[in-house]
Amino acid sequence: MADDVDRFRPLEKQYRHRGNDHKNARQRRHDAHRQTDRVEFSGVIDVHAKEANAAANMARLHGRALSSEELAFNYTILSPRDAYIYEVDGLRGLMVLTGAMPITTQVEWAFRAVRAYSQQPYNNVTNLTGDRGATTRLWQDAWHEDATTSGRPAWKAFQALRWANIGAHYDWTARQYVADPDIPPLPEELQQLVKEVYAMTSYVDGRDVESGIVNFYPAGTSMGGHLDNAESDMINPIVSLSLGTQCIYLQGGLTRATPPTALWLRSGDIILMGGEARRCFHGVPLVTDKLPADFAACTQALKHTHIPAEVDAFADYIAHARVNINLRRVAAR
């Protein structure tokens, strides 16, 4: 049957292209960001360079500045002055918010995700282990390790981190959320971020979020197409913040039979997945090593308030990595 055809996977494979010049998968992943000249990107929608879009994509793209009501909210994290909201024909319920997070805030939040959300007391489980205590010193050991250390085991251990669950605990084996009184609630700053995104997009029915996944994507890695459907509340939108290097994001349909739409996401971009988009397949087939120049420059300012050696380690990491914070409500309304 035609509906059984997987139209998500071919585009996913196209942008995950690694070339044939390397002998093994590890080398292909390592050099992925150097292979982008071999992949055709003309079909990827770029809201930051609208004139570079193909005519068909330009026709699908609709953007607007914030309304007076949206501007009137008391923002403490985001900045409404340069914010712009984009929607794409065919992607019902998906909004892309650009220009809303100042570059200094992007740097601060990426730094916080790497050094704090990756370990206790924030995270309750990561891809590395289900033992909360096992990642207590993951980042500290990594940045304390001398760069001349043979093999750099601590740094490699942190590089292997792909996700950390914060807030309400998600059991990946059972694919369900479980009550755990030892897990602290979602940090207040993440709650506030979501409230400000609701205000900027006039999402009047948004409820408090309870859980988050922080993804850590070194350049060349990817996340396959999937559904976020383990929550009892499938009405409240997911809010997703991109930090660090540029990536391609795929937004598909309710089944894999729908061809996905590809979008470039840059540091500071925020996606709101509400309505139909909340129930659709999505993924990240390509993470590049393209970091905004002003991001790298602002990173050095962290040395005024943090240990310079730790900031240098963070700068080395984020120069070739994307951090994604996505937040959702768990409990049914």
Side-chain angles (χ1 to χ4, degrees):
M1 295 178 60
D3 286 346
D4 293 332
V5 176
D6 187 343
R7 296 183 177 88
F8 195 101
R9 180 65 173 164
L11 202 60
E12 195 173 42
K13 290 177 66 176
Q14 174 184 331
Y15 294 128
R16 199 181 287 171
H17 175 75
R18 296 293 178 265
N20 298 311
D21 298 339
H22 302 289
K23 296 181 180 180
N24 57 54
R26 176 180 293 181
Q27 290 172 321
R28 290 198 298 271
R29 288 194 299 270
H30 178 73
D31 289 341
H33 58 281
R34 301 175 187 172
Q35 303 293 323
T36 54
D37 60 322
R38 303 185 181 189
V39 183
E40 175 57 57
F41 293 119
S42 62
V44 184
I45 294 176
D46 191 345
V47 299
H48 292 270
K50 294 187 289 294
E51 68 285 350
N53 287 287
N57 284 340
M58 278 290 290
R60 297 180 63 192
L61 192 59
H62 307 281
R64 67 171 180 84
L66 270 60
S67 68
S68 57
E69 291 81 6
E70 291 163 344
L71 288 168
F73 188 83
N74 182 26
Y75 296 98
T76 60
I77 298 172
L78 302 179
S79 175
R81 184 182 62 182
D82 298 319
Y84 219 73
I85 299 170
Y86 290 93
E87 296 181 81
V88 182
D89 286 346
L91 303 182
R92 296 172 56 189
L94 185 81
M95 296 184 187
V96 182
L97 184 59
T98 69
M101 179 171 276
I103 188 65
T104 53
T105 307
Q106 294 175 38
V107 170
E108 291 167 358
W109 277 57
F111 190 48
R112 182 184 301 140
V114 167
R115 72 193 302 261
Y117 296 158
S118 63
Q119 62 185 30
Q120 287 185 301
Y122 295 103
N123 91 65
N124 50 53
V125 66
T126 72
N127 66 292
L128 301 179
T129 176
D131 176 9
R132 295 180 65 219
T135 57
T136 300
R137 293 191 51 83
L138 189 66
W139 171 246
Q140 288 94 327
D141 289 344
W143 77 260
H144 275 105
E145 187 175 63
D146 192 299
T148 62
T149 302
S150 177
R152 301 202 67 187
W155 186 253
K156 286 184 177 179
F158 188 83
Q159 289 274 4
L161 181 66
R162 292 293 177 270
W163 54 262
N165 178 198
I166 54 178
H169 173 59
Y170 183 66
D171 185 328
W172 288 83
T173 301
R175 284 191 56 79
Q176 64 182 12
Y177 288 88
V178 295
D180 188 338
D182 294 329
I183 301 299
L186 202 66
E188 290 184 6
E189 66 268 17
L190 297 179
Q191 297 272 8
Q192 179 64 23
L193 172 67
V194 171
K195 291 176 182 176
E196 295 188 16
V197 172
Y198 290 162
M200 278 195 176
T201 56
S202 291
Y203 199 92
V204 297
D205 197 31
R207 306 291 181 88
D208 289 345
V209 291
E210 300 159 314
S211 184
I213 302 292
V214 183
N215 295 115
F216 300 88
Y217 296 97
T221 59
S222 61
M223 176 172 285
H226 64 283
L227 297 172
D228 288 324
N229 58 0
E231 294 75 31
S232 297
D233 188 332
M234 291 293 292
I235 299 174
N236 214 64
I238 288 178
V239 172
S240 177
L241 168 65
S242 291
L243 300 167
T245 63
Q246 183 174 324
C247 78
I248 289 179
Y249 172 79
L250 294 181
Q251 179 72 23
L254 298 173
T255 72
R256 298 183 72 94
T258 302
T261 296
L263 301 97
W264 284 113
L265 293 182
R266 289 172 168 77
S267 187
D269 288 348
I270 300 171
I271 282 182
L272 184 142
M273 297 168 58
E276 183 177 297
R278 176 67 178 84
R279 306 187 302 278
C280 290
F281 280 88
H282 55 281
V284 178
L286 178 66
V287 176
T288 75
D289 64 348
K290 294 181 179 178
L291 185 73
D294 51 354
F295 192 106
C298 286
T299 297
Q300 296 305 307
L302 293 172
K303 292 181 177 179
H304 298 309
T305 52
H306 298 279
I307 299 172
E310 182 180 11
V311 175
D312 286 338
F314 167 71
D316 288 345
Y317 176 78
I318 204 65
H320 306 283
R322 171 180 180 253
V323 174
N324 170 230
I325 303 174
N326 64 81
L327 305 159
R328 74 279 308 277
R329 181 174 177 81
V330 175
R333 298 179 176 222

